[in-house]
Amino acid sequence: MLLAASAFLFTSTVAAGPEEYENKIVARIEFDPAAQPLPRAELDRLLPLRAGQPLHLAQVQAAIQRLFATGRYANVSVDATLENGEVVLRFLTAYNYFVGRVAVNGAPDPPNRGQLATATKLELGLPYAPSDLKLAIENLHAILQSNGLYKASIQPESNRDPSTEQINFDFGIDPGKRARFDGVLITGHPGRSANSIVRATHWEKFYGLFGDRFGWQTVIQTRVATGLQNVRRYYEKKGRLLAKVTLEKLDYHADTNRVTATVHIDLGPRILIEAHGAKISAGKLRQMVPIYEEQAVDHSLLLEGKRNLLEYFQAQGYFDAEVDFTQQPPKNGQEIIDYNIDRQKRHRLVHLEIAGNKYFDTATLRERMYLMPASFIRYHYGRFSPTYLDRDVDSIEAVYHSNGFRDAKVIPKVQDDYRGKVGDVSVLLQVNEGPQWFVGKLDMEGATAADTAYLKSILHSAPGQPFSEAGIASDSDAILGYYYNNGYPNATFDWNETPAAEPHRVNLRFVIHPGGRKFVRRVLIDGLVTTNPSLVSERISISSGDPLSESRISESQRRLYDLGIFAEVQTAIQNPDGDEEDKYVLFQLSEARKYSINVGFGAEIARIGGSLANFDAPAGANGFSPRVSLGISRLNFLGLGHTISLQTRISAFDKRVLLSYLAPQFKGHENLNLTITGLYDNSRDVRTFAERRAEGAIQLGQKLTRANTIQYRFTIRDVTVDPNSIKITPELIPVLAQPVHVGVFSTSFIQDRRDDPTDAHQGMYNTVDAGVAVPAFAAQTSFTRLLMRNSTYHRIGKNLVFARTTYFGYLQRLSGLKD
């Protein structure tokens, strides 16, 4: 018989119904094909049927449902035959395939390969259906045509791997020639000439002096969108904020490979915003009212403008300011919006006090507050408003509630004309802490003894600790995070509380449902072309047999990105919704471009030569020299994740070559990096001398903590001076340019606690560099040096930062060449 879904079809030579197989002994269970997407051990675990036991038809139906639930099978049927009075069951299966690599090659940029791969909608690890390929091709054609590639042809190739049930796709694209615009049709009510609108799109190359045109630009999706945005801005400058500019269609002409754009424009009324009752610049008003940014006029945006204006005037000391607006209906093509502002009396917040706080000190509470008394440096009128006050009251109450003070209240008291001075404001925040609640007893259900012992060690809501719902939420995240990272993706958490016998104490009950545990069947890595596979595998911290952990997968993804050699690192779990115990973990890598080149051109004008003895030209003669710089970098050198780069600069005054080799994660250690550099510099001081400098250095950097780094460096330097070029007394040549051969061992300690190294607003930056040169290092002169730097950054306004830097240097000569 053959069972598909719930119906039996007989294939035996003896006429019989399904009921004839009921309670017969199962001789054996077979699978066709023999190679199945799940290991036989897992199949035996899934099936409720066993050889040597009676057959029940309900078990056969359950077996089919369980196999389908794994997500691995597209079709399952069961064939049953009698053999010596016993039943032989044979499961006939067709299994699913899952999306693996998606590569798109051949298309010019734009669109880039990443955009094209995303457009296919083929997501890594998800089940694949034949209709997905047709949709992927349609999506690719759509994005290619939106970028002017109307003649592109797509050749898809797919490669199935039965051993992993993955299907990989390679889309080869013959792009053809990119289409150009040939004109723009304007429909609707533009209120402006067509030429002025076409000029605004910048879809034409450029205009001549008399308005003559010199060709059209190619069609690119971003250029089309930018052109429409340019037209909107054009109308915005004319006060037409509600002008609607839409692209109706792009008509493609295959015979000329040209595109005609049809743009519909609805002019809309002119919007005029006026402020009454207070002086405010037009620029500030445009900044405060977001209708300019959103290019729309609706009630919510006008309300936001009202709030912005209110906060603006409150920041100026008008704490009691009131703002309202009226919107007049359009008339004569113009709509007027009036903001009526009543600033009222100006105030200064001169006194801010917190009273009644015992558990937290005042400094701790002030860190959470937005109110700020007036000061000379930061806020001349202070920072105060009823909204800010309510926000600070809520913030202080929240910190008390999260620490067990369930009944804590903060009562604000505002006093105007403080101490008899008109306009001065005092704020008193009276804290009524109330009793602190604690956890009396904690019961945990659903976890093993080992898990319970560990979880209780990381919980906030332990017996004797303050009780709060914020603490429970934190414990929930910790518990679920623990289970998620140990292979329980469907774990759930619940809790309840009951009063304890002691006052102000509660008993807690945590209920955990771990669900089924999932493991890693195998880690599949794809996309490597030149990268050494061991470089990748060393940085993936999850392997076969490990519990399925999202955090470890994310950490591995981060470590791969940190190599700096991959443009994209995609991670996924194959068949994520399938009910199977072991899962494939997928890493789809896209290598970054190997080479990068930079070229620069410039010129130098300087006075060359001259000396005190040259009375005809004591300052030298004017000189001009072009300057060319060229740099090339090779990423992922030898597939090891290393970078080798060459930078050159050539002019009549300076010739420089710098070769560097960087191993960012030396010997696989994330906190170590090795740099080897070689430098040759032939520089001619524009009036004094010419020197040649050859230098080599090797440096090992070690990241101690997030803020602290230490570097160990050894440098060999050889400096020579052209005796025929000297125009000054040799003693005046700078120290670093003196003829000498020197070897220096140095170490640097760097401490970076800035909030943003590229744009610091607060924090500090400290460096200490110490070096020594002795004859053992092949140095012709011996010396020690010390250079220290301390920089601090303090924000003193919204856009103002006070930065200070102090240097200290010390150089002590020990022996060597004489002056």
Side-chain angles (χ1 to χ4, degrees), residues 341-354:
I341 303 168
D342 184 2
R343 296 185 302 184
Q344 300 193 30
K345 185 173 63 175
R346 196 172 223 176
H347 297 79
R348 293 176 71 239
L349 179 60
V350 298
H351 182 255
L352 177 60
E353 181 181 354
I354 303 175

Side-chain angles (χ1 to χ4, degrees), residues 519-555:
F519 295 89
V520 177
R521 182 175 178 183
R522 187 176 158 196
V523 177
L524 305 180
I525 302 171
D526 196 8
L528 300 183
V529 180
T530 60
T531 305
N532 191 324
S534 63
L535 181 70
V536 174
S537 59
E538 288 172 356
R539 284 155 180 80
I540 295 178
S541 58
I542 193 168
S543 58
S544 299
D546 290 345
L548 192 64
S549 170
E550 288 286 353
S551 65
R552 292 173 67 182
I553 295 174
S554 298
E555 175 66 15

Side-chain angles (χ1 to χ4, degrees), residues 10-292:
F10 289 93
T11 60
S12 61
T13 57
V14 179
E19 63 279 356
E20 296 296 326
Y21 292 86
E22 186 76 23
N23 291 320
K24 291 187 180 296
I25 299 300
V26 177
R28 63 181 181 275
I29 301 174
E30 299 175 348
F31 287 88
D32 186 10
Q36 290 292 305
L38 296 174
R40 184 56 192 255
E42 187 168 353
L43 289 172
D44 291 340
R45 181 186 61 82
L46 285 171
L47 298 182
L49 303 163
R50 294 291 182 270
Q53 295 182 0
L55 173 66
H56 299 290
L57 299 184
Q59 292 178 331
V60 177
Q61 295 178 353
I64 293 177
Q65 291 173 353
R66 290 185 182 183
L67 290 175
F68 269 117
T70 65
R72 288 283 170 186
Y73 295 95
N75 186 35
V76 178
S77 58
V78 180
D79 176 66
T81 58
L82 290 175
E83 185 178 285
N84 299 324
E86 295 182 341
V87 182
V88 176
L89 293 178
R90 190 159 58 103
F91 285 83
L92 309 174
T93 62
Y95 42 80
N96 282 323
Y97 277 86
F98 302 88
V99 176
R101 180 187 70 252
V102 178
V104 184
N105 300 297
D109 191 356
N112 60 48
R113 283 186 281 182
Q115 291 173 317
L116 291 167
T118 302
T120 64
K121 305 297 183 183
L122 296 171
E123 297 188 32
L124 184 65
L126 294 186
Y128 166 74
S131 59
D132 294 342
L133 180 59
K134 180 180 178 181
L135 180 61
I137 295 175
E138 292 175 355
N139 292 338
L140 287 175
H141 274 299
I143 190 173
L144 290 170
Q145 290 178 7
S146 68
N147 283 276
L149 302 174
Y150 288 87
K151 296 186 176 182
S153 61
I154 302 174
Q155 297 297 326
E157 293 184 4
S158 61
N159 178 29
R160 296 173 184 257
D161 184 358
S163 64
T164 60
E165 299 85 54
Q166 278 209 156
I167 179 168
N168 299 320
F169 297 92
D170 289 281
F171 295 92
I173 296 180
D174 181 6
K177 189 176 181 180
R178 199 184 299 271
R180 294 182 178 274
F181 291 102
D182 66 355
V184 180
L185 297 179
I186 309 298
T187 63
H189 303 282
R192 293 289 185 274
S193 67
N195 279 340
S196 62
I197 297 173
V198 173
R199 284 174 183 254
T201 63
H202 300 297
W203 291 341
E204 291 180 300
K205 287 186 176 180
F206 56 89
Y207 276 90
L209 295 177
F210 303 100
D212 46 330
R213 294 164 177 158
F214 289 83
W216 294 84
Q217 301 279 10
T218 55
V219 177
I220 298 175
Q221 188 176 29
T222 55
R223 179 172 289 149
V224 173
T226 302
L228 297 176
Q229 184 64 26
N230 290 338
V231 176
R232 294 188 187 99
R233 290 174 180 169
Y234 170 79
Y235 280 103
E236 181 182 340
K237 292 177 182 178
K238 305 297 182 181
R240 304 285 181 173
L241 297 182
L242 297 184
K244 303 296 182 183
V245 181
T246 55
L247 180 67
E248 286 191 336
K249 59 182 177 178
L250 292 173
D251 286 327
Y252 175 64
H253 311 296
D255 54 339
T256 60
N257 198 29
R258 293 291 188 268
V259 172
T260 303
T262 302
V263 178
H264 181 81
I265 299 176
D266 184 4
L267 187 62
R270 186 187 302 275
I271 304 299
L272 180 63
I273 299 181
E274 297 179 346
H276 304 281
K279 188 175 181 180
I280 183 171
S281 67
K284 178 63 68 173
L285 190 61
R286 291 172 66 90
Q287 180 183 347
M288 293 289 105
V289 183
I291 63 173
Y292 293 96

Side-chain angles (χ1 to χ4, degrees), residues 435-446:
Q436 188 175 19
W437 290 72
F438 294 90
V439 177
K441 185 176 66 171
L442 172 63
D443 294 325
M444 190 175 296
E445 301 177 7

Side-chain angles (χ1 to χ4, degrees), residues 596-600 629-633 646-648:
S596 61
I597 299 176
N598 60 79
V599 180
S629 63
L630 173 65
I632 182 170
S633 296
L646 176 68
Q647 296 290 330
T648 62

Side-chain angles (χ1 to χ4, degrees), residues 777-794:
F777 298 153
Q780 293 178 335
T781 182
S782 299
F783 61 87
T784 61
R785 74 161 189 261
L786 177 67
L787 178 63
M788 295 187 294
R789 168 186 169 178
N790 169 254
S791 301
T792 56
Y793 303 84
H794 302 277

Side-chain angles (χ1 to χ4, degrees), residues 506-522:
V506 297
N507 295 328
L508 296 178
R509 177 172 169 261
F510 287 178
V511 181
I512 302 168
H513 300 285
R517 196 175 193 187
K518 307 298 182 184
F519 295 89
V520 177
R521 182 175 178 183
R522 187 176 158 196

